[in-house]
């Protein structure tokens, strides 16, 4: 059974377009995250939601807007895509607690042309 | 910024133990040591974590020095499928994000 799933796996689009990436977890976790891994392979946190509320928002352009319709989903919408947005985006989830382990999805490779 | 220092790469013969070191000299008393790995083109995978005692699970063992300034991840019998980038992360509790450094690229060689 897939624990953390993301769609699509690959996304190729033109500059200026608006796109969304979806994330779902079936682990019953209450915290979800979005990470970005750039071409140099650095993984960085973008957002974190706990019980559908935003708790972490790193320095990310406001073109990026996460949306959490329920605890099992955290979608990432990106407006006016730029070349620099090309990266692999990973969703993760955890159960809040003292030693919450994060489980990652398979990633979405976004290519902006 | 990551609070850990790891060697950029290591090789290990298949079937032998892989010992991956990590320095975290500025670790705070409430921070745990976590290890994740990322196999090529996949999402990071949790391996193990600990606070001050040594820990063991089905994947690996974690040895933390008494002063907690360094640790070693041990894969007891490395296989080719263990080839990956291994990340050592120190992290306080409760909903804090993982701060990934550059990790150690482990290559298991047949």
């Amino acid at each position: 059974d897939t624990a953390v799933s993301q769609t699509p796996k690959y996304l190729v689009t033109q500059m200026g377009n608006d796109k969304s990436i979806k994330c779902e977890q079936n682990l019953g976790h209450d915290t979800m995250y979005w990470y970005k891994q750039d071409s140099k392979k650095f993984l960085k946190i973008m957002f974190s939601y706990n019980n559908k509320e935003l708790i972490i928002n790193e320095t990310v352009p406001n073109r990026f807007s996460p949306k959490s319709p329920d605890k099992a989903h955290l979608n990432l919408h990106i407006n006016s895509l730029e070349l620099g947005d090309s990266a692999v985006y990973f969703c993760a989830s955890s159960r809040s607690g003292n030693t919450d382990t994060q489980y990652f999805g398979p990633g979405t490779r976004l290519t902006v042309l | 910024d990551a609070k850990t220092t790891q060697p950029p790469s290591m090789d290990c013969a298949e079937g032998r133990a892989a010992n991956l070191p990590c320095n975290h000299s500025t670790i705070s008393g409430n921070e745990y040591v976590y290890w994740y790995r990322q196999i090529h083109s996949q999402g990071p995978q949790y391996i193990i974590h600990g606070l001050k005692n040594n820990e063991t699970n089905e994947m690996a063992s974690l040895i933390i020095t008494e002063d907690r300034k360094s640790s070693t991840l041990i894969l007891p019998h490395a296989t080719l499928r263990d080839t990956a980038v291994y990340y050592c992360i120190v992290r306080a509790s409760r909903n804090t994000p993982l701060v990934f450094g550059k990790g150690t690229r482990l290559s298991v060689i047949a």
Side-chain angles (χ1 to χ4, degrees), chain A residues 3-102:
Chain A
V4 183
S5 60
Q6 296 179 227
T7 54
K9 187 169 176 62
Y10 299 97
L11 182 56
V12 181
T13 188
Q14 300 284 337
M15 271 197 310
N17 285 348
D18 303 338
K19 291 293 179 184
S20 293
I21 305 172
K22 296 185 177 181
C23 177
E24 177 180 4
Q25 54 93 5
N26 62 5
L27 298 168
H29 290 165
D30 55 3
T31 305
M32 297 185 73
Y33 310 80
W34 277 108
Y35 289 81
K36 177 182 179 180
Q37 188 167 38
D38 60 24
S39 57
K40 295 183 179 179
K41 303 298 184 183
F42 291 117
L43 261 165
K44 291 187 178 180
I45 183 70
M46 299 175 68
F47 301 101
S48 173
Y49 270 71
N50 177 255
N51 286 317
K52 297 169 47 179
E53 292 190 9
L54 181 66
I55 57 172
I56 293 172
N57 183 352
E58 294 296 311
T59 307
V60 176
N62 57 16
R63 298 181 295 103
F64 290 77
S65 54
K67 288 184 171 55
S68 182
D70 55 58
K71 288 197 299 184
H73 296 84
L74 181 62
N75 303 323
L76 184 64
H77 188 76
I78 315 170
N79 290 328
S80 303
L81 279 156
E82 300 177 357
L83 293 176
D85 297 332
S86 295
V88 181
Y89 292 84
F90 290 100
C91 177
S93 73
S94 67
R95 187 187 310 279
S96 58
N98 283 340
T99 58
D100 47 320
T101 298
Q102 294 184 21

Side-chain angles (χ1 to χ4, degrees), chain B residues 11-18 75-80 106-110:
Chain B
D11 292 338
C12 178
E14 189 179 19
R16 304 297 293 267
L75 307 178
H77 304 287
T79 71
L80 297 178
L106 175 68
S107 297
V108 181
I109 303 167

